[in-house]
Amino acid sequence: MIKTGAQHIASLRDGREVYLDGELVTDVTTHPAFRGAVASVGRMFDFQSAPENRDLMTFETETGTRANRIWELPGSYDALVRRRRGLEAWTELHAGFMGRAPDHVASCIAGMYMGLEVFEAYDKERAKALADYYRYARDNDLYLTYVIINPQADRSKSAAGQADPYLTAGIVSRDADGITVRGAKMLATGGIMANEVFVTCIQPLQPGDEKYALSFAIPMNAKGLKILSRKSYEAAAGAIFDSPLASRFDENDAVLYFDDVKVPWNRVFIVDDIAMCQKQFHVTPAHVYQNYQAMIRLSIKLRFLAGIAHRIAETNGIIGFPQVKETLGQLAAEVSMVEAFMVAMETKGQQRGAYFVPDRQMLYGAQTMTQQLYAKIINALRELAGGGMIMLPSSVRDFDNPDLAKLIGKTQQSPAAGAVDKVKFYKLAWDAVGSEFASRHAQYEMFYAGATFVTKGHAFRTYDWQKSAALLDKMLSSYDLADELTNEQKPASSSRAVA
């Protein structure tokens, strides 16, 4: 099925146990801390279900039904690019500010399905559970989030070595019906608005951590699942005019606590296997496919930030300054580099059985560079804007006061825009660059793919060092010390002697 926005929003009224500011939230779709973001996701589902977007956003499955391209398993380069164009169109609806929109974890599950033989070698029953779940999530147009890291406690100790053996979600018991899980996982970004959650561990586990070596999926309203929301930036945002991003795209993050949650065997993909927890990401295409989606999203976001930078220069009347053109040219080059990485992932992609998978080396090179790049771009926007993003009317209500509105018209001048348009633009720019919402995004872009040493480790592991070494050896073999010494001993030519 292809859901509409109304259908998705209705599906969130399912009795899920969300806590915010010490209280249980009875309906996330209407609560002032979440309703703007929920509505934004609804618009994404409306976009995909619009008849004019049918070919862009959906594909025909093996059963003849249609599904969102987020679940597509491309069999060729052309199919991969076609899928990317659909994801780009979806991402433009939120300008890349919803990092865990439905296309991210769907890409992860699809990537695991592409490597189904890895699961079959591990356990045929668990492989069947994964295959059935992929089709179930695809055919029901589910929005999935995931929790794949453990709570930060004593990081010098393993999961089993923590003071509380069930700080991290682990198995309490098992029976013929399934497993019972107790403990916490992070970060459930977008979980407030998701239908289900994929639970596993991407961090390396140690011997003795077997009970934490899990991989499963459950609905967000599962009995015993508690969703502990962080502070809502949307709740503090006020009017859309004042905080156009935070008021609509705060996807939220949450700690999930599993209070003896029962997971049926047909939802369990891995149990008790430390090595397999790593293989599900790195031996299958899952890690590449999900982070390729992240690069598609980031390329749209950086394009949006470049637009802010250019508009700042126009608004301030400095677009003709040589030093400003230099800054904008550098920014243009950096944004283009990210787009080039994305295209390179596709053009250097490889066939993996029936599926065409983006190139790992280009992906991890892109992740390593963009972790450093985001903060640099944000700083460039700060330098271009100066105090313009700070010295703004306190809120949209200032315009209700005729005397204040007149003063705003005098003090908020620009050669390129009227006072209202200038304030509107700079309110948006501040929400992208300097607000609490923006600060969270700076942290997110730095760490969503893991710590910098992790992404650099992936880049080291996947780079073709042999190709570099062969080029180096070819150059080294083109000259030799013995030849140099022999040449030194040859007598000077007669022409040199005469000279």
Side-chain angles (χ1 to χ4, degrees), residues 58-81:
T58 69
F59 72 102
E60 187 174 314
T61 72
E62 73 282 358
T63 63
T65 59
R66 298 198 74 83
N68 190 308
R69 287 199 186 276
I70 65 178
W71 298 103
E72 192 170 9
L73 311 171
S76 67
Y77 164 81
D78 289 339
L80 183 67
V81 172

Side-chain angles (χ1 to χ4, degrees), residues 182-197:
R182 182 187 303 163
K185 297 289 287 191
M186 295 164 58
L187 283 163
T189 302
I192 302 299
M193 307 170 290
N195 298 118
E196 301 207 358
V197 58

Side-chain angles (χ1 to χ4, degrees), residues 31-91:
H31 195 283
F34 309 120
R35 64 191 177 196
V38 169
S40 293
V41 171
R43 284 189 288 273
M44 294 180 70
F45 281 103
D46 281 336
F47 182 85
Q48 68 149 5
S49 61
E52 64 271 21
N53 295 325
R54 181 178 185 270
D55 291 337
L56 175 67
M57 291 302 304
T58 69
F59 72 102
E60 187 174 314
T61 72
E62 73 282 358
T63 63
T65 59
R66 298 198 74 83
N68 190 308
R69 287 199 186 276
I70 65 178
W71 298 103
E72 192 170 9
L73 311 171
S76 67
Y77 164 81
D78 289 339
L80 183 67
V81 172
R82 189 163 52 246
R83 178 181 181 270
R84 185 246 296 169
R85 287 174 181 151
L87 268 60
E88 284 178 325
W90 231 24
T91 302

Side-chain angles (χ1 to χ4, degrees), residues 312-458:
I312 288 172
E314 289 179 323
T315 302
N316 289 358
I318 58 174
I319 192 73
F321 291 9
Q323 63 271 37
V324 172
K325 289 183 178 180
E326 180 184 14
T327 297
L328 292 176
Q330 178 69 30
L331 179 59
E334 290 167 343
V335 174
S336 296
M337 179 189 71
V338 177
E339 293 184 0
F341 264 123
M342 186 174 64
V343 172
M345 291 175 218
E346 296 166 348
T347 56
K348 289 189 68 181
Q350 302 89 30
Q351 202 72 35
R352 189 186 193 279
Y355 311 116
F356 190 82
V357 180
D359 182 72
R360 290 174 181 265
Q361 179 186 324
M362 290 296 104
L363 168 66
Y364 294 128
Q367 284 193 317
T368 298
M369 297 303 296
T370 54
Q371 279 185 314
Q372 305 165 43
L373 185 60
Y374 192 81
K376 182 181 178 184
I377 289 175
I378 292 297
N379 194 56
L381 267 62
R382 288 178 177 275
E383 290 182 352
L384 283 170
M389 289 191 293
I390 298 174
M391 204 61 263
L392 295 167
S394 58
S395 79
V396 68
R397 290 189 294 274
D398 285 345
F399 289 95
D400 278 339
N401 183 316
D403 293 333
L404 289 179
K406 187 176 180 181
L407 289 175
I408 292 170
K410 284 189 173 220
T411 58
Q412 296 289 343
Q413 295 188 20
S414 164
V420 172
D421 286 340
K422 180 184 178 183
V423 172
K424 180 180 181 181
F425 164 66
Y426 266 129
K427 289 274 190 180
L428 170 64
W430 178 250
D431 213 13
V433 173
S435 66
E436 190 171 13
F437 172 85
S439 181
R440 179 264 180 193
H441 274 266
Q443 195 77 0
Y444 177 87
E445 299 297 356
M446 187 179 297
F447 290 107
Y448 80 83
T452 55
F453 77 87
V454 173
T455 53
K456 290 174 183 176
H458 291 323

Side-chain angles (χ1 to χ4, degrees), residues 93-203:
L93 298 177
H94 54 82
F97 281 92
M98 301 188 85
R100 291 293 182 264
D103 40 344
H104 184 73
V105 181
S107 297
C108 175
I109 299 297
M112 288 182 180
Y113 183 86
M114 290 182 200
L116 193 61
E117 75 280 358
V118 178
F119 282 84
E120 288 173 338
Y122 156 64
D123 186 315
K124 291 190 181 300
E125 284 299 312
R126 306 281 64 77
K128 182 180 184 303
L130 174 65
D132 289 346
Y133 185 73
Y134 161 76
R135 287 187 287 267
Y136 171 79
R138 178 197 69 186
D139 294 345
N140 287 278
D141 207 5
L142 296 186
Y143 176 0
L144 306 184
T145 186
Y146 62 20
V147 281
I148 58 176
I149 62 173
N150 300 330
Q152 290 185 355
D154 186 344
R155 299 183 70 177
S156 69
K157 295 179 180 178
S158 67
Q162 301 298 319
D164 180 353
Y166 286 105
L167 169 66
T168 294
I171 294 179
V172 176
S173 63
R174 70 193 76 196
D175 57 27
D177 296 325
I179 59 175
T180 299
V181 178
R182 182 187 303 163
K185 297 289 287 191
M186 295 164 58
L187 283 163
T189 302
I192 302 299
M193 307 170 290
N195 298 118
E196 301 207 358
V197 58
F198 171 50
V199 183
T200 190
C201 192
I202 198 170
Q203 297 163 302

